[in-house]
Amino acid sequence: MFQPLKLTSFVLKAGGLPIPVNRIYRLFSCCNGKIRDLKNMKHYLVQILVLLLPCGIILANRQVSPRSSKAAVVGTNVTLVCNISGVNLTIWMFNNIDQISQGLSIFTSNQYGLEVRNDRTQMALTVIIADEEDEGLYSCQNKGNLVMEFDLTMEVPPILQLEFGDSIYSSKRKLNVTFTEEAAVQCIARGSKPLVFLRWEVDGRDAVGEVKTNHSREDERITISTLRYIPNVGDETLACITGGQQAVPSETVRANINVMYAPKCSLLISNETTNEFRLFCRCEANPPPNNYGIYVNDSLQSTEREVFISSQSPAVVFCNASNIIGADTTDPVELGEFHVDQPLSGGIIVLIVCLLILPILTIAVVIIIRQRRKAKKQKDINRHNAATIDATSNIPLPKEQNEGNIEDKNDPSNLPLIDQSSQKAEPSEQNKENTEDMSDPSKVPLMDPSSQRDVPSEQDKDNFQDLTNPGEGPGIDKEKWKEEDGGDDDEDV
């Protein structure tokens, strides 16, 4: 049913147009709730538009104040800033009912503070240590006009805790979980406003498992999230993280987890000597194994992790270990008289290397010693030849020339180079004949030694004496001769 009276009254009320309602009633009374023909409908529609035109003008000229939302944490100071054009004409309202202030005068308790900023163009209202009761709508009016509205929401951080089984987790201990077995851990957030949502992480990664979250009534403010997952070996931390609040940062409760698992064993075999095998049972487990067993030919050989057995006869060996979670047994291994699959031990390798290197080192030392001896012998021969040449060059010279030679010999740069080939005298024809005769023993004439010996003259005696003792020759410095000779006369001879 078309009811223009109610429609017009609602529009006029919303626009604030001061038109009496009885006038509107009289306008539509003839309709009696119905419009009978098209002519009457057109007439009354024109009347409605005429009445609504002033209302539209009022709505167009009316200012729309900006509105913003703000969230804050309970127990902190909250500041709201409004742009103004006059301090004394500024009014702050709470929920459009309670007037907080006018100008710089505060009408309520001392939980508010006012401050003028930016050359009296802004006014800041501060709610000191705001609590949940301070949540609501704050409005700023200047010169009778609404300037700004703030929808303030107060948030409360949650209290987090973890529960595992029937106990509450404490940071002083670890959560003991078992590998391959499902673990159920609960995260409980109490007292949050608004209610938070919870998520799980394992070692910084999103947890893989079933997550079930329960929210209580708003007044109870409890959120419970349950994680069911299978731990992996190596997992260290489990974390529950909050979310869903604007002013309150996300909070985390973290637990150190201890993943327990049964032993996983392997048998290590090595031949330390030529007649023994070393058996070592290596196992990884948490907690560490408390029982070991090494078996040889199905008989318990030792309850320790290590044992030595003889390699002189074949054997079948294996080991096992256990802890509070479970046990593990290795596959049997057949050992022959020589376990060729195992590499040589370190001691044997070092011995072989030493035996290979020792002959090489011995040969090198012998070669070096021989080279040194050969060099020393060659040095001695060179020294002896030099001394012989110096001795044969000491021929008596005239006094003036001899004195000059003495000066030249004192200066090594003035010593003349001696061509040994030039010192050899060419044999005469008679000497050649004597040489040919001496090659034939039958042609050698018998000589009287006494008749052939010539009596040396005084000059010859002096020369002979000089040759037999080169250090005594004329023009020779005895001290220099000894230094050059080096005192090795006996070794040269």
Side-chain angles (χ1 to χ4, degrees), residues 391-445:
T392 56
S393 64
N394 293 329
I395 301 174
L397 299 173
K399 184 176 181 181
E400 295 79 0
Q401 187 176 359
N402 195 13
E403 291 177 356
N405 291 338
I406 292 174
E407 294 177 358
D408 295 341
K409 289 183 178 180
N410 291 332
D411 186 2
S413 63
N414 295 329
L415 292 177
L417 299 177
I418 299 173
D419 187 1
Q420 295 182 5
S421 61
S422 63
Q423 299 295 330
K424 296 180 181 180
E426 294 294 334
S428 62
E429 295 296 333
Q430 186 175 356
N431 289 337
K432 293 181 179 179
E433 294 176 359
N434 293 337
T435 303
E436 293 176 357
D437 295 340
M438 291 180 67
S439 61
D440 187 1
S442 61
K443 295 181 181 181
V444 177

Side-chain angles (χ1 to χ4, degrees), residues 43 101 109 111 139 154 167 180 213 254 257 323 455 466 477:
H43 174 74
S101 66
S109 61
Q111 68 179 17
S139 59
M154 302 304 300
S167 61
T180 69
T213 303
R254 198 179 308 273
I257 57 178
N323 60 5
V455 178
D466 294 340
D477 188 355

Side-chain angles (χ1 to χ4, degrees), residues 62 108 114 125 228 288 302 352 403 412 435:
R62 186 175 183 180
T108 59
L114 291 174
L125 173 67
R228 297 181 180 274
S302 175
I352 293 174
E403 291 177 356
T435 303

Side-chain angles (χ1 to χ4, degrees), residues 24 47 60 69 102 111 125 135 153 178 184 191 280-281 315 319 357 403 417 423 440 455 460 468 484:
I24 302 172
Q47 294 295 325
S69 299
Q102 181 173 358
Q111 68 179 17
L125 173 67
E135 181 178 279
T153 302
T178 304
F280 183 79
C281 190
C319 74
I357 294 177
E403 291 177 356
L417 299 177
Q423 299 295 330
D440 187 1
V455 178
D460 293 336
T468 57
E484 293 177 354

Side-chain angles (χ1 to χ4, degrees), residues 230-243:
I230 298 177
N232 295 317
V233 175
D235 290 349
E236 296 181 354
T237 58
L238 180 65
C240 176
I241 305 172
T242 66

Side-chain angles (χ1 to χ4, degrees), residues 274-328:
T274 57
N275 57 357
E276 280 188 331
F277 285 116
R278 174 179 175 265
L279 308 181
F280 183 79
C281 190
R282 183 177 67 180
C283 300
E284 295 181 0
N286 185 28
N290 50 11
N291 292 315
Y292 284 95
I294 298 179
Y295 293 82
V296 178
N297 295 329
D298 294 331
S299 298
L300 180 62
Q301 183 74 17
S302 175
T303 57
E304 302 295 331
R305 300 180 64 185
E306 182 181 32
V307 69
F308 291 87
I309 64 172
S310 174
S311 61
Q312 301 300 316
S313 59
V316 177
V317 296
F318 63 90
C319 74
N320 61 16
S322 62
N323 60 5
I324 59 174
I325 305 301
D328 185 46

